[in-house]
Amino acid sequence: VHLVGPGWNVIGAGEPALPGVAIGHNERVAWGITLAFIDQQDVYVEELNPANPREVRWRDGWEPLRVEVDTIGVRGEAPRVVELAWSRHGPILFADTARNLAYALRSVFSEPGTASYLGALALNVARDARDAMRAAAAWKVPPENLVFADVDGNIAWQVAGLAPVRDGWDGRLPVPGRGTHEWAGFLPLERLPREWNPRRGFIATANQNILPEGYRPILGFEWEPPYRYRRIVEVLTAQIRGGRPFTVEDMQALQHDVVSAPALEAVRILRGRRARTETAERVRQMLLAWDGRLARESAAAAAYKAWRAALDPRALESGTPRRLRDSLAHAALDAAVARLQREQGPRPADWRWGRMNRQPIPHPLGIRAYHLPTIEMDGDGTT
């Protein structure tokens, strides 16, 4: 979308139903996002009043639940009348009346200003990277790594999103709802991780754990593996050391990069021992010579994915004895060869990763006449 109006000239991408541009640029500053995985919700165990199940324990007394009655139309049946209940923490997801317990979800989405991507409106009119970092205070959900670059040559990173302050607990397990485990507000923007013009010359995020060593409080516990981040760092660092300036084409190539670091790590266990059959040995040699690119036309990529799917996880564990690891690796290699010969033909040179990695493109309303052809895809979740 390209939005032009008084004080506005911004172009980029966003969510279809929401205003503004979530990823894009105006005339002076550009920004991008990846997920930051702040833990923004907690399950509260509410104690129900045995004498009145519409009341829950709060400190030394009881307080009423807010209850709304709704009617849900059901095709082919009579409408169903339901009761929806909220405690001070949020909606009741389940009530265990036999144990006088109920489970409520507290989420930052109940806070003012938490329409998803609403903070993009503030970014859209930022005048430089500093201004954009300040504007990130309006970005509350979903939690993101916001990265900025402006026409003056500044680059910056700011984690943005409401981060609950939990005093003495970490949010990984349900907590009592009687008042002992309440949020103590939210971390101010300046307490969230950030960078300004780092000496390395670039900023990279790819949904990996972005918490600096020793950072407190811990914002969350679930992150994507670091493979894609490490590959970005590898490519950018090599280009900076080579002294060659970046071009648009370089950035396009990096966005479409299909080198899989975990694939290159995994195939190393095939070194040193010949395979059991002539075909399997050719495939083993092909994998050991492979550059790790999961290109759709690659026979080695197909062989790797079939081998990895058949591989016992113990083969990649550091404590597994060498003899057992070799046995597991070669058993998986035999299984992969058999599968690919069955599915793609007897000659390894004819195999393709794209035949295994296909993406249908159906019409959103399921109108078969408007389905687009299924396409073969490069890469996987590690690239």
Side-chain angles (χ1 to χ4, degrees):
V1 62
H2 188 180
L3 302 176
V4 179
W8 281 69
N9 187 6
V10 59
I11 188 168
E15 296 289 319
L18 303 174
V21 169
I23 305 173
H25 66 90
N26 59 29
E27 294 164 316
R28 293 194 50 81
V29 60
W31 57 94
I33 60 177
T34 67
L35 286 170
F37 296 108
I38 297 173
D39 183 358
Q40 294 185 309
Q41 57 191 25
D42 283 300
V43 172
Y44 281 82
V45 183
E46 310 282 13
E47 183 182 344
L48 296 173
N49 184 350
N52 182 359
R54 291 193 173 188
E55 292 183 340
V56 293
R57 174 76 68 184
W58 176 249
R59 302 198 189 282
D60 296 326
W62 303 98
E63 68 177 16
L65 295 170
R66 177 167 65 87
V67 178
E68 293 184 8
V69 179
D70 198 3
T71 301
I72 300 175
V74 181
R75 184 171 62 183
E77 300 180 19
R80 298 186 190 178
V81 177
V82 297
E83 286 191 352
L84 308 175
W86 285 260
S87 72
R88 66 167 52 231
H89 299 116
I92 301 297
L93 305 180
F94 178 74
D96 184 350
T97 53
R99 294 178 172 83
N100 295 316
L101 298 174
Y103 301 88
L105 180 69
R106 181 163 190 191
S107 169
V108 302
F109 282 89
S110 299
E111 299 296 318
T114 52
S116 293
Y117 300 96
L118 186 64
L121 297 177
L123 299 182
N124 292 176
V125 294
R127 304 312 301 159
D128 55 33
R130 279 279 190 215
D131 195 21
M133 289 183 78
R134 290 189 291 266
W139 192 295
K140 298 181 180 181
V141 294
E144 303 282 6
N145 297 291
L146 292 171
V147 291
F148 307 107
D150 65 26
V151 295
D152 299 318
N154 298 302
I155 60 173
W157 163 54
Q158 174 68 65
V159 171
L162 285 182
V165 176
R166 301 172 177 92
D167 187 8
W169 51 293
D170 61 23
R172 283 187 283 185
L173 294 172
V175 292
R178 61 188 304 165
T180 56
H181 291 73
E182 299 305 302
W183 292 355
F186 303 97
L187 285 179
L189 186 70
E190 58 271 14
R191 291 269 317 273
L192 296 174
R194 53 169 56 181
E195 277 190 328
W196 175 262
N197 287 336
R199 292 185 62 184
R200 78 180 80 88
F202 64 86
I203 293 168
T205 71
N207 299 351
Q208 84 284 4
N209 185 345
I210 44 78
L211 300 181
E213 187 173 354
Y215 178 87
R216 293 292 183 274
I218 295 175
L219 299 180
F221 298 90
E222 297 179 342
W223 312 89
E224 290 295 310
Y227 303 122
R228 293 182 299 136
Y229 167 75
R230 291 175 183 168
R231 176 62 178 165
I232 295 168
V233 171
E234 175 187 352
V235 171
L236 297 182
T237 300
Q239 188 154 344
I240 288 174
R241 287 176 178 167
R244 186 167 63 85
F246 292 104
T247 66
V248 171
E249 290 72 24
D250 292 327
M251 295 297 99
Q252 289 175 331
L254 184 54
Q255 289 287 342
H256 289 271
D257 185 85
V258 291
V259 173
S260 173
L264 289 172
E265 292 173 9
V267 298
R268 292 173 186 161
I269 68 172
L270 290 169
R271 292 173 178 168
R273 175 178 161 183
R274 288 183 59 84
R276 298 164 181 166
T277 68
E278 182 180 338
T279 301
E281 177 60 19
R282 285 205 305 272
V283 173
R284 185 182 79 92
Q285 294 292 342
M286 179 171 63
L287 287 173
L288 291 177
W290 180 44
D291 60 5
R293 295 183 69 252
L294 288 167
R296 57 182 177 270
E297 68 276 6
S298 171
Y304 164 72
K305 295 297 284 192
W307 173 72
R308 190 71 178 79
L311 187 64
D312 187 311
R314 292 176 296 169
L316 299 178
E317 294 173 0
S318 59
T320 300
R322 174 65 182 271
R323 190 170 181 177
L324 175 59
R325 187 176 69 212
D326 286 350
S327 176
L328 296 174
H330 284 270
L333 188 62
D334 292 340
V337 169
R339 172 189 169 183
L340 288 169
Q341 287 184 324
R342 183 173 64 252
E343 295 177 357
Q344 298 197 30
R347 290 177 4 108
D350 295 334
W351 299 344
R352 291 171 57 90
W353 166 227
R355 290 199 188 104
M356 305 165 68
N357 192 32
R358 293 162 58 82
Q359 176 63 54
I361 311 177
H363 187 273
L365 299 182
I367 303 172
R368 186 176 300 276
Y370 293 101
H371 292 348
L372 295 179
T374 296
I375 59 173
E376 294 186 355
M377 299 283 286
D378 293 306
D380 72 355
T382 68
T383 65

